[in-house]
Amino acid sequence: MMTKTKAKRAVVAAVDETASDIHRLGFIDKRNMHKFDALFLEPVPDYDSEKIRALRMHLQLSQAVLAAVLNTSLSTVRKWESGEKHPSGPSMKLLSLLDRKGLEAVLYFSLASYHPLA
C-alpha cells in the first residue's frame, strides 16, 4: 500500500513531467515554467537563535567560521544567536542547506564558483 507522502511525490512527479513536456513542445514559456517549478519547492524552515546556535555547535564551527561559510559578518552571526536579528532569505536557504546536507555541500558549491584568476 502506498503512503500519502509517496502518493503525493508520484503525483507531483507526474505533473512536473507533463509540464516539462508541454514546455518542451513550446506551449509554456520559460518564465511560466519557472513559476510552475516554484510551486513545488518546499518552504525553507525558520531558524531562530537557538536553532542557529545548535546547528553551529553540531557542525563544530566557531561563529567566525560560520560567518565565512555563509558569506556574512561575525557580528551578524552573533546578532542571530542573541536574537537581535533574524536571517533573511538567502541566509535562511544556506542554513537550511547546511542543516540538511552538511558543511561539505555548502563548501563544495562555494569552491566550485571560486575563480581566483578571473
Side-chain angles (χ1 to χ4, degrees):
M1 180 170 202
M2 194 180 280
T3 65
K4 282 186 179 183
T5 305
K6 286 183 182 178
K8 184 177 177 182
R9 279 191 210 137
V11 169
V12 168
V15 170
D16 186 49
E17 182 181 352
T18 302
S20 295
D21 289 343
I22 293 170
H23 169 66
R24 188 175 38 81
L25 294 171
F27 294 108
I28 297 176
D29 64 8
K30 193 173 186 176
R31 183 178 180 185
N32 284 324
M33 191 63 195
H34 285 300
K35 287 180 185 178
F36 177 81
D37 288 339
L39 293 173
F40 293 102
L41 292 176
E42 291 197 22
V44 177
D46 190 33
Y47 284 85
D48 61 10
S49 59
E50 303 253 340
K51 198 168 180 182
I52 294 168
R53 187 177 304 109
L55 176 61
R56 181 176 62 78
M57 298 302 270
H58 173 73
L59 295 170
Q60 299 179 349
L61 301 175
S62 66
Q63 288 179 333
V65 172
L66 180 62
V69 168
L70 298 175
N71 196 28
T72 192
S73 68
L74 173 58
S75 68
T76 297
V77 172
R78 285 183 178 150
K79 288 177 183 176
W80 289 346
E81 289 191 6
S82 69
E84 288 179 55
K85 290 179 80 174
H86 300 284
S88 61
S91 297
M92 291 282 269
K93 189 69 174 174
L94 284 171
L95 286 166
S96 175
L97 185 62
L98 274 173
D99 203 4
R100 290 181 297 112
K101 302 285 185 176
L103 184 60
E104 294 79 18
V106 174
L107 292 179
Y108 173 78
F109 288 111
S110 295
L111 292 175
S113 65
Y114 177 68
H115 302 287
L117 301 176

